[in-house]
Amino acid sequence: MSENKFIHIAGFPVVKTTSSVLSRYLLRTKCLNKKASLFFANTNFIVQCHPLREKIKSTPVVIVNDGVGMDIAAYLFRRQTFKENLNGTDFVPRFFANAPTPLRVFMLGGRPEMLAKAAVHVRTTLKQEVVGTCDGYAGMAQDRAVLIDSINRARPDVVLVALGNPIQEEWILACRDALNANVVISVGALFDFWSGEKPRAPQLVRRIRLEWLFRLSLEPRRLAQRYTVDIMKFLLLCHRYSAENAPPQTRT
């Protein structure tokens, strides 16, 4: 991709794109039997995955923007805007719906009972073929090579990895070459929503970009640091990168 298709946020090259363009790209990747990996970058991703930045940049990963914090950073530090807010919870169902035939999906992560409910949602509501699941607890404790072999034997088109930042990104970076699936996506808390264990914010709240506040009100103890201390870390990382990469001033 050309440089003007990215906005660099704290050193991460985040693609300026839309859900329809991104869906077509992933479906074309499948049709051509190539490989693609997709990360959704919100403020928590930037903070938690910062130690992985150079490895991510040296790997063919597509990073897209998720959340109002990324929009604010893009304008404050780069004087640019993203075309559309992209998050896994909204995008993945659209991607599935755009597929001409049901996709073969492997789901990795979450508690066993929650994962089972999420898999039912994918089969019955999203009309995709779930070819395998592995929970994020006992399932992930098995030897990595054994797990990868199990996934490959299921022959998925898409692997959804829901282990949270930065574990899911670390796992994908370590395992991507060995996975035969065309598309691998880090999806965070997506299985929680699909299983019904966590509610989505009402449509109006999402429209005015306050879904983060809705989630904070539901889980204040777990998310308080993410939306206070970690926001400051995020802004400092953005500022540091912006200062380090500012064009040199010329004397007159």
Side-chain angles (χ1 to χ4, degrees):
M1 292 184 179
S2 61
E3 192 66 18
N4 64 0
K5 291 187 178 180
F6 298 95
I7 300 179
H8 290 268
I9 305 294
F12 289 93
V14 185
V15 180
K16 294 189 290 184
T17 190
T18 64
S19 57
S20 59
V21 171
L22 185 58
S23 289
R24 288 197 298 271
Y25 165 73
L26 296 178
L27 292 172
R28 186 167 64 250
T29 296
K30 175 189 174 298
C31 288
L32 296 175
N33 198 28
K34 294 185 177 181
K35 289 185 177 182
S37 300
L38 175 63
F39 292 169
F40 294 92
N42 55 19
T43 57
N44 187 61
F45 170 96
I46 298 296
V47 172
Q48 298 299 327
C49 294
H50 197 258
L52 302 173
R53 185 183 64 172
E54 293 305 318
K55 189 169 185 180
I56 290 174
K57 287 169 64 177
S58 65
T59 305
V61 175
V62 176
I63 308 172
V64 295
N65 59 298
D66 172 9
V68 67
M70 297 292 285
D71 290 333
I72 292 171
Y75 182 75
L76 282 180
F77 298 103
R78 311 301 294 178
R79 289 297 185 265
Q80 297 186 61
T81 58
F82 288 108
K83 295 181 178 181
E84 181 184 333
N85 179 58
L86 294 165
N87 62 72
T89 312
D90 292 324
F91 173 76
V92 174
R94 291 177 189 167
F95 166 52
F96 287 167
N98 287 333
T101 59
L103 296 170
R104 297 173 59 85
V105 181
F106 193 100
M107 302 170 65
L108 172 63
R111 300 192 314 277
E113 64 276 13
M114 180 266 288
L115 177 60
K117 294 177 183 177
V120 170
H121 176 82
V122 175
R123 290 190 187 99
T124 60
T125 303
L126 301 181
K127 307 300 183 184
Q128 306 303 304
E129 183 180 356
V130 178
V131 295
T133 63
C134 175
D135 68 81
Y137 294 84
M140 286 295 293
Q142 64 184 300
D143 182 80
R144 179 176 286 176
V146 173
L147 174 56
I148 292 173
D149 181 63
S150 176
I151 295 172
N152 285 339
R153 282 189 285 107
R155 297 185 296 107
D157 303 311
V158 180
V159 178
L160 303 178
V161 185
L163 301 171
N165 308 126
I167 299 173
Q168 60 193 15
E169 288 79 17
E170 291 174 336
W171 190 90
I172 292 171
L173 292 171
C175 301
R176 186 62 182 105
D177 286 346
L179 289 169
N180 296 332
N182 299 115
V183 178
V184 179
I185 308 177
S186 62
V187 295
L190 180 58
F191 298 173
D192 293 325
F193 299 127
W194 281 351
S195 69
E197 295 205 2
K198 290 183 181 178
R200 285 293 307 272
Q203 186 64 43
L204 175 61
V205 175
R206 283 181 263 166
R207 190 177 302 126
I208 61 176
R209 310 298 298 280
L210 288 177
E211 187 167 11
W212 65 270
L213 185 60
F214 178 82
R215 292 188 64 191
L216 177 61
S217 69
L218 294 179
E219 301 181 88
R221 294 182 64 181
R222 188 176 76 87
L223 297 177
Q225 176 170 321
R226 178 183 299 187
Y227 294 123
T228 54
V229 176
D230 285 355
I231 288 293
M232 294 305 300
K233 292 180 181 178
F234 167 72
L235 293 173
L236 287 172
L237 287 171
C238 292
H239 179 268
R240 184 189 307 166
Y241 177 83
S242 180
E244 289 173 353
N245 292 272
Q249 293 183 349
T250 56
R251 295 182 179 180
T252 58

